[in-house]
Amino acid sequence: MAHRPGLSFRFTHAITRSPSESVANGIRAVDSGDPDCAAFRAEHDLYVRALQEAGLHVDMLPPLEEFPDSCFVEDPAFCLPEGAIQLRPGTASRKGEGDAIRTALEARFDRVVELPGSGHVDGGDVLMLDDVILVGLSARTDVAGAEAFVGLLADWGYSAKVCETPEGVLHFKTACSTLGDGVILATRAMADSGFFGDRTIIIVPEGEEYSANVIRVNDVVLVPEGYPKTLAAIEVAGFTTVVLPTHEARKLDGGLSCLSLRFATPS
Ligand code: CIR
């Protein structure tokens, strides 16, 4: 796959979904209290506004009460300029979310295909870089799903590599992000994995691991509130930051990347 500068962060559009009242029943590894729907929606509004201010047109989907985790729209789909892939999330309560987001994908893309086979991939396990797409195996993304996904990407002209998400980490991107321009932000465990070759890696300071999940959107990096050392490291590296509260999403192991599908329509 040819290096496509900006593929991983130059976007024109995003899709988001408002948190449902049922979000209090969302999945979490460790219980730190239920998220509050009103507070979550207030944080979500700020998030949508930040995407708009970064230059994106945002399609805002309505809440889906039957899927408590459905505001984490990153997981049931993956978008490229050429089309969208409807994924199959790898946990029982989220299985129907792929079908639920299909119409929104079809509204933006001429080409929408479903992940072939019967394996599972969560979009949170897919890290798009400018020259390769990394797919992390996890409790949600299995070998069958990852291989089918890599095969489909190859048909579309993209190189992808299957990696192992470190033990105990929900999704591959829970522990790393691309800042674009060849720079990765990663936890120590992820940085030591060797997945990133000779790219520059900013290591997330110990104790701030949650802040490994940031998103570069055009000219800014969105960073979760409350992680001053990570914020300083990103700024020292020359990036412009926007800080956003993610306290409610965090109660469900969610972060900034999970709350949107970001993509560029073909120019
Ligand atoms: C879940 O466990 O599926 C949700 N509570 C959180 C999903 C976060 N998504 C992501 O990291 N891409």
Side-chain angles (χ1 to χ4, degrees):
M1 158 181 169
H3 182 236
R4 292 167 65 172
L7 177 70
S8 62
F9 65 88
R10 291 265 162 235
F11 303 121
T12 56
H13 288 76
I15 297 174
T16 62
R17 185 182 296 285
S18 184
S20 55
E21 299 278 354
S22 63
V23 75
N25 302 323
I27 310 167
R28 71 220 61 181
V30 176
D31 196 9
S32 60
D34 292 344
D36 174 76
C37 178
F40 205 148
R41 285 183 181 164
E43 292 186 354
H44 197 262
D45 286 348
L46 294 174
Y47 177 79
V48 168
R49 195 174 321 148
L51 293 179
Q52 290 168 330
E53 283 170 2
L56 305 195
H57 177 97
V58 182
D59 293 340
M60 291 174 268
L61 307 181
L64 279 182
E65 293 302 333
E66 61 273 44
F67 297 111
D69 287 290
S70 56
C71 61
F72 301 114
V73 281
E74 177 176 67
D75 294 319
F78 182 68
C79 300
L80 287 164
E82 295 80 0
I85 301 171
Q86 178 188 328
L87 300 174
R88 253 188 314 286
T91 193
S93 70
R94 304 198 63 187
K95 277 208 165 60
E97 287 186 35
D99 284 338
I101 203 157
R102 179 140 190 145
T103 309
L105 300 175
E106 286 171 348
R108 286 287 165 203
F109 293 96
D110 292 335
R111 177 152 65 158
V112 179
V113 301
E114 191 174 351
L115 180 71
S118 55
H120 300 95
V121 173
D122 271 19
D125 284 317
V126 183
L127 179 68
M128 183 163 71
L129 302 178
D130 291 345
D131 53 355
V132 67
I133 295 171
L134 302 183
V135 186
L137 299 175
S138 71
R140 303 290 178 85
T141 295
D142 54 26
V143 172
E147 285 178 353
F149 186 59
V150 168
L152 185 55
L153 291 173
D155 292 345
W156 290 16
Y158 289 89
S159 318
K161 203 167 86 178
V162 178
C163 307
E164 284 282 349
T165 301
E167 196 66 29
V169 174
L170 173 61
H171 285 126
F172 193 73
K173 279 188 295 190
T174 306
C176 64
S177 310
T178 176
L179 300 183
D181 305 320
V183 183
I184 301 288
L185 176 72
T187 60
R188 167 62 67 190
M190 195 59 114
D192 289 346
S193 65
F195 299 143
F196 304 114
D198 58 4
R199 293 176 180 84
T200 303
I201 304 179
I202 299 174
I203 309 273
V204 172
E206 216 180 313
E208 294 199 1
E209 284 75 8
Y210 173 81
S211 62
N213 183 272
V214 304
I215 44 174
R216 167 90 184 261
V217 183
N218 295 331
D219 297 328
V220 296
V221 178
L222 310 189
V223 182
E225 181 176 68
Y227 302 92
K229 293 181 194 155
T230 303
L231 182 67
I234 294 171
E235 289 179 344
V236 164
F239 296 94
T240 303
T241 57
V242 175
V243 175
L244 289 169
T246 59
H247 309 288
E248 300 307 306
R250 186 179 174 169
K251 293 176 186 167
L252 298 182
D253 309 325
L256 290 166
S257 77
C258 328
L259 292 168
S260 61
L261 284 162
R262 302 158 300 279
F263 52 92
T265 49
S267 44

